[in-house]
Amino acid sequence: METAWDAQLRTAGLRVTRPRMSVMDVLATHPHVDAETIVTVARAAHPSISPQAVYGVLKALVGGGLARRIEPAGGPARYELRVGDNHHHLVCRECGVVVDVDCVVGAAPCLAPSDTAGFVVDEAEVVFWGLCAGCHAVRR
Amino acid sequence: METAWDAQLRTAGLRVTRPRMSVMDVLATHPHVDAETIVTVARAAHPSISPQAVYGVLKALVGGGLARRIEPAGGPARYELRVGDNHHHLVCRECGVVVDVDCVVGAAPCLAPSDTAGFVVDEAEVVFWGLCAGCHAVRR
DNA sequence: GGCCTTCTCTTGACTTGCTCAAGAAAAGGA
DNA sequence: TCCTTTTCTTGAGCAAGTCAAGAGAAGGCC
């Protein structure tokens, strides 16, 4: 599976490079990481990779539809390889951990606003805010 | 109505100051503005107000439950006085304009995830992404 | 009204997260 | 293997917002 990255990259019209493989490896093993963490983890396999290279790779992956970018309020952007199913996220207000939630309804946009005010809507982004099990236990 | 700001501020345990009144005036007439715009507009009524004062006022208003902060991905935070009804937003990908949408379901959290993964959820944030009528017309 | 305590505003430095630009290096087709 | 194009490295730069210290108001108490 891990060696299928090159096929995915080529399908998206992107060249196969070592930084891209490394970043995809990190995303596969660490879903919902931020760019800085990707740099740190990716350096285990590719010590010379630069932060800017990671930003560039992430932009290419998102542009090519291989990764998805989420930006929970009050924190850096996070990335995941799970794309195309319009799933949603649970975010902990305390520790910031992000967990996937399957979409309650069908395909994207899974919800329709009551009044679109003339907008042409293509995506409904849903974020559930709360406390994860661990942080909730500590609070008490 | 505009002179009811002082009562609202006092109820929230906040002192009544000129910067706070000015910022609330701006929010009442310009919903969904960012901090920088608030500074610009507020200076019409209070020329000496500083950006940091606005940031401080906004933090106090949000903390006191008088304003709500929303942070659409890829842009600065925006603020609105409409609080307590858990409504949602339509955001234009092109021009960034934000429009209120009444909540489809009932009270907060208006939606429940299919699997909470142990989270204690207190809010469901919904953002509908698309193109506003104007930007959609220009595209074609 | 005047005084005093406390909160808030001003001023200015600083941090974070990310983008832009120029040249070097690598990918992939001929 | 060579050549063109894309991508990565290196380094500067930017936007949004935070932190900290002192000056200045707000509001309770006398």
Side-chain angles (χ1 to χ4, degrees), chain B residues 6 12 22 37-38 44 48 51 53-55 64 73-74 104 106 109 114 118 126 133 135:
Chain B
D6 60 341
S22 304
T37 307
I38 294 172
S48 73
V54 170
Y55 282 115
V104 208
S114 46
V126 182
C135 291

Side-chain angles (χ1 to χ4, degrees), chain A residues 28-100:
Chain A
T29 51
H30 304 67
H32 313 121
V33 277
D34 56 41
E36 198 194 330
T37 306
I38 294 173
V39 174
T40 308
V41 177
R43 280 190 170 148
H46 184 171
S48 73
I49 198 169
S50 67
Q52 284 72 2
V54 170
Y55 282 114
V57 167
L58 290 170
K59 190 175 259 185
L61 293 180
V62 171
L66 298 183
R68 181 174 162 194
R69 173 187 178 125
I70 57 173
E71 294 182 54
R78 289 150 179 276
Y79 298 86
E80 62 186 348
L81 290 180
R82 188 175 162 186
V83 292
D85 65 345
N86 194 242
H87 66 277
H88 305 308
H89 296 100
L90 279 159
V91 183
C92 178
R93 290 189 194 279
E94 197 85 18
C95 66
V97 71
V98 177
V99 175
D100 284 336

Side-chain angles (χ1 to χ4, degrees), chain B residues 5-102:
Chain B
W5 298 151
D6 60 341
Q8 288 200 38
L9 286 167
R10 263 182 255 273
T11 304
L14 297 169
R15 289 187 177 174
V16 178
T17 68
R18 186 132 169 259
R20 287 176 179 170
M21 305 285 263
S22 304
V23 169
M24 294 191 84
D25 277 341
V26 174
L27 288 177
T29 52
H30 303 68
H32 311 122
V33 276
D34 56 42
E36 197 193 331
T37 307
I38 294 172
V39 174
T40 308
V41 178
R43 279 189 172 149
H46 184 173
S48 73
I49 199 170
S50 66
Q52 285 71 2
V54 170
Y55 282 115
V57 168
L58 290 170
K59 191 175 259 187
L61 293 180
V62 171
L66 298 183
R68 181 173 163 195
R69 173 187 178 124
I70 57 173
E71 294 181 53
R78 288 149 180 277
Y79 298 86
E80 62 186 348
L81 290 180
R82 188 173 161 186
V83 291
D85 66 345
N86 193 242
H87 66 279
H88 305 308
H89 297 99
L90 280 160
V91 184
C92 177
R93 290 187 194 278
E94 197 84 18
C95 66
V97 71
V98 177
V99 175
D100 284 337
V101 189
D102 287 322

Side-chain angles (χ1 to χ4, degrees), chain A residues 93 122-123 125 127 129 131, chain B residues 93 122-123 125 127 129:
Chain A
R93 290 189 194 279
D122 60 77
E123 183 188 348
E125 180 186 5
V127 177
W129 291 93
L131 292 177
Chain B
R93 290 187 194 278
D122 60 77
E123 183 189 346
E125 180 186 4
V127 177
W129 291 93

Side-chain angles (χ1 to χ4, degrees), chain A residues 117-136:
Chain A
F119 274 62
V120 179
V121 176
D122 60 77
E123 183 188 348
E125 180 186 5
V126 182
V127 177
F128 296 100
W129 291 93
L131 292 177
C132 70
C135 291
H136 187 245

